[in-house]
Amino acid sequence: MKTSPTRASRLAIAAALFAAIGVPAFSQQQKAPESLLPPGFDQPAPRPQPSPRPSPSPTSSAAPAAAPSPSGDGALSGGDLGPDAFDVEESNASAVAAVAPAIDLSQYDLPRGVRRPLNRIGILAAGNAPFPADAFGDVAGATQVTLMRRLDAPVASRWVSIALRRALMSPLDTPRGVDGADYAAERAWLLLRMGEATAARGLVSYVDIDDYTNALDRVAMQVALATGDPAAVCPIVDDAAANLPDRGWALAQAICAGLAGKPSEADQRLDAAGKGKPRNDLDTLLATKVVGMGADSRRAVTIDWVGVPALSAWRFGMATAGGVDIPDNLFATVGPEFRYWQALSPAVSPVNRAGAAELAAAAGVLSNAALVDLYAELDQASDVPDPLQKTVRDLRAAYTGSAAERVQAMKSLWDAAESPRLRYARLVLTAKAAAWIPANKNAAEPDRLIAAMLSAGYDSAALQWRGVVAPGSEGWALLALADAGGPIGYSDFERYVGAASPRKAAMLLAGLAGLGRLSPSDAQRGAEAIKVGIGGVNAWTQAIDRAGAANQPGMVALLAGVGMQSPRWDQVTPEALYHIVAAMRAAGMANYARMIAVEAVTRAE
């Protein structure tokens, strides 16, 4: 990481303090250790002016809109340790204190070859191949940024969301006309709105601190709140507070001082940030709660949610960091991404995460393995509510006993779901268990077993059922979409149309046509038979078709998200599905295309 002398001084001070006092983790509730610093050591002194932050060039993108955070007065001045903070008294009182020589910290800079460049930014997810560095081709940076900002996330499709997350995370070439740090900020900001707090944190952390811009500062704050980790902004808090007039940064300075074992400075900053606010201001109280977790803190508060009209990113982050449970009714005042942040947070108890985790799995934020692991934790926990205990028992039974008993346990889980989104989440929950059921023509629930396997991408296991399912059944339709084989006969499609709902039939037609499994003449014939148009042309269809033909998988994934901007699957059109599937196939993303088509038929009512 590139380190400037001014920043390095602060980082060295912070590292020394943390090493000396052993600041506890947020989730720990034990008594804070006694400070080892001499009396008066944590008293604030004037600090030097911060070094200027890199500012975007005239062609750089503007900062993304900030998520809700406390508003009010600008940053506080002073209060940090001054340059004389580490002078110590001689043991002999008559001795004259020597002035310590300045230390040249430039010798601790990383070699130029290992500093992270801004021309390619991204991270690798274990087990997932990254998108190519030129995944957006020659698409202008301004166009990419505009689409990212305007995308109303989260999107309807689990598999579109997975593809878009992997595209945004991947090490991508920074487009011309956009500052590299700002480009990372735009991508991380979209990931946050999708509910992908962990991926956003990885992307923001990739950029060396000296390269942060105001835009990346803002997004870094929102990432810290979404992950319930306010200490993540401590390395940038002073410079950000000096450049961004937002009360949240002033409170963050108090939090960082408190966590660094400087309670006097933390108290002064809290008092200054709370000026003009009522004594029971919730945002200040939540910050005070986190400050109170630092070493030798003299602050203790109780949080009362009565009368709180709405949740915000600040309130979510501070409550999560402080171990304060958030009332369920407040999540109705914000977008679904807050629930996904909750599902990803290890600071939240498994009992409180369970409901959010199933929703996150349906949205592509959590995998089948992560969801099963969470229920395994609940299996070992105490004080689990009865409905959750039944879910845990049924899931355990889905992996034990005979095949018939396991299918019956899965059926119990599927039938207990009370909403379309939860029904799909239960398919994801049981995907691995379904993959362990041998293909058998006498097996119960073959259609839902196949749907469960494919919801998590177990296509190899699902395709073993090709010779088992009845032609024209839903299981047959899902396997026809999951199979990478050649064209299918129109008569098979007609048989399915006669038994399925009109919307399922329309989605199957769009998927098969987009995958090239229906000939153009059969696709046209089928569209006329079920009265569905998939050949319409507009600016979006032209853009995604062009991106697919130009082999721009990143642009295709982003435009697919644009085409899936809906909180509900029933608002996704067959025409949009056709163009998304066809463009992904053209751009070398056939596996994603097949899973999206399968999901469309599965979730259609």
Side-chain angles (χ1 to χ4, degrees):
M1 183 183 299
K2 184 177 179 182
T3 310
S4 67
T6 302
R7 286 176 176 268
S9 299
R10 283 197 296 272
L11 292 175
I13 291 169
L17 289 176
F18 273 80
I21 63 177
V23 176
F26 289 145
S27 59
Q28 294 176 327
Q29 299 298 321
Q30 63 193 36
K31 182 180 178 181
E34 180 182 358
S35 174
L36 301 180
L37 300 177
F41 190 82
D42 62 348
Q43 298 300 321
R47 67 181 178 89
Q49 292 297 317
S51 58
R53 304 185 66 71
S55 57
S57 61
T59 55
S60 298
S61 61
S69 65
S71 59
D73 296 336
L76 300 176
S77 61
D80 203 350
L81 290 172
D84 301 328
F86 284 94
D87 289 349
V88 292
E89 295 181 350
E90 296 285 346
S91 57
N92 184 352
S94 63
V96 178
V99 178
I103 300 175
D104 179 13
L105 294 177
S106 63
Q107 60 183 305
Y108 301 108
D109 282 357
L110 293 176
R112 186 176 300 277
V114 299
R115 294 173 184 170
R116 292 169 175 170
L118 293 179
N119 61 346
R120 182 173 294 176
I121 296 172
I123 56 178
L124 301 176
N128 297 319
F131 276 55
D134 61 348
F136 284 85
D138 59 355
V139 177
T143 300
Q144 296 181 42
V145 167
T146 298
L147 289 173
M148 290 178 192
R149 289 185 185 179
R150 292 182 179 178
L151 199 155
D152 187 12
V155 299
S157 167
R158 166 181 166 82
W159 281 99
V160 167
S161 185
I162 290 173
L164 182 54
R165 178 189 71 219
R166 292 177 180 172
L168 294 171
M169 289 175 61
S170 296
L172 300 177
D173 290 339
T174 299
R176 290 190 305 271
V178 180
D179 181 88
D182 286 349
Y183 188 50
E186 297 290 353
R187 290 156 58 189
W189 181 232
L190 176 53
L191 284 167
L192 274 183
R193 302 196 317 270
M194 293 166 58
E196 300 283 359
T198 304
R201 179 175 60 189
L203 194 58
V204 167
S205 300
Y206 178 89
V207 181
D208 290 341
I209 291 177
D210 275 3
D211 293 324
Y212 272 41
T213 61
N214 288 344
L216 193 53
D217 281 341
R218 291 189 181 99
V219 174
M221 169 67 88
Q222 304 310 318
V223 167
L225 295 174
T227 56
D229 182 18
V233 301
C234 291
I236 64 171
V237 68
D238 289 334
D239 285 342
N243 286 279
L244 301 173
D246 188 285
R247 180 168 169 259
W249 288 106
L251 290 171
Q253 285 183 304
I255 291 170
C256 293
L259 296 179
K262 298 184 283 186
S264 296
E265 179 183 340
D267 289 347
Q268 290 181 21
R269 291 189 179 276
L270 278 175
D271 292 341
K275 286 182 179 178
K277 297 289 181 180
R279 295 179 60 85
N280 62 344
D281 175 62
L282 180 64
D283 296 327
T284 305
L285 290 175
L286 286 168
T288 305
K289 179 79 172 178
V290 179
V291 168
M293 302 174 72
D296 200 27
S297 174
R298 296 179 287 273
R299 297 260 184 167
V301 297
T302 300
I303 303 301
D304 185 0
W305 295 97
V306 175
V308 176
L311 192 59
S312 68
W314 179 269
R315 292 168 183 175
F316 174 88
M318 292 297 114
T320 302
V324 179
D325 290 338
I326 301 172
D328 282 344
N329 66 294
L330 288 180
F331 284 97
T333 65
V334 290
E337 66 271 18
F338 281 69
R339 280 293 194 187
Y340 307 158
W341 300 345
Q342 184 186 40
L344 289 170
S345 176
V348 179
S349 69
V351 170
N352 289 340
R353 288 172 58 202
E358 293 206 37
L359 297 177
V365 175
L366 282 186
S367 66
N368 158 262
L371 192 56
V372 171
D373 285 348
L374 175 61
Y375 275 101
E377 287 187 62
L378 289 169
D379 194 25
Q380 303 299 318
S382 57
D383 299 327
V384 178
D386 289 343
L388 271 181
Q389 286 184 2
K390 184 179 187 309
T391 301
V392 170
R393 287 195 300 270
D394 287 341
L395 184 60
R396 189 193 311 114
Y399 285 91
T400 59
S402 66
E405 291 170 339
R406 285 182 276 156
V407 172
Q408 183 58 39
M410 284 184 267
K411 184 177 183 301
S412 177
L413 288 167
W414 298 331
D415 292 344
E418 299 176 349
S419 68
R421 185 174 297 181
L422 189 54
R423 283 195 289 274
Y424 189 69
R426 288 296 170 88
L427 294 177
V428 177
L429 175 64
T430 55
K432 185 67 173 181
W436 286 3
I437 301 296
N440 185 344
K441 64 180 180 180
N442 296 321
E445 302 286 345
D447 295 347
R448 287 203 280 188
L449 286 171
I450 293 169
M453 291 181 238
L454 293 175
S455 70
Y458 292 109
D459 52 341
S460 297
L463 289 172
Q464 295 177 9
W465 292 72
R466 276 178 296 192
V468 175
V469 295
S473 65
E474 181 152 333
W476 169 87
L478 298 180
L479 293 177
L481 293 168
D483 195 351
I488 65 170
Y490 184 76
S491 59
D492 292 332
F493 170 72
E494 272 190 317
R495 188 179 304 174
Y496 177 77
V497 170
S501 69
R503 183 161 174 80
K504 282 184 177 288
M507 289 298 186
L508 178 62
L509 172 73
L512 292 173
L515 291 169
R517 301 215 66 198
L518 279 178
S519 66
S521 59
D522 284 346
Q524 183 62 33
R525 180 181 171 191
E528 293 173 355
I530 61 178
K531 298 180 174 58
V532 171
I534 59 174
V537 177
N538 57 38
W540 175 82
T541 63
Q542 290 176 326
I544 196 169
D545 291 348
R546 185 166 55 248
N551 193 25
Q552 298 170 345
M555 192 64 178
V556 169
L558 181 56
L559 287 168
V562 172
M564 291 277 188
Q565 293 180 95
S566 170
R568 293 162 31 199
W569 188 267
D570 59 8
Q571 295 177 342
V572 176
T573 66
E575 182 179 16
L577 177 68
Y578 166 74
H579 286 280
I580 289 170
V581 169
M584 286 194 167
R585 176 170 165 257
M589 304 166 67
N591 290 338
Y592 288 108
R594 288 194 290 270
M595 292 302 102
I596 292 167
V598 167
E599 181 186 3
V601 174
T602 301
R603 302 183 75 168
E605 296 291 333

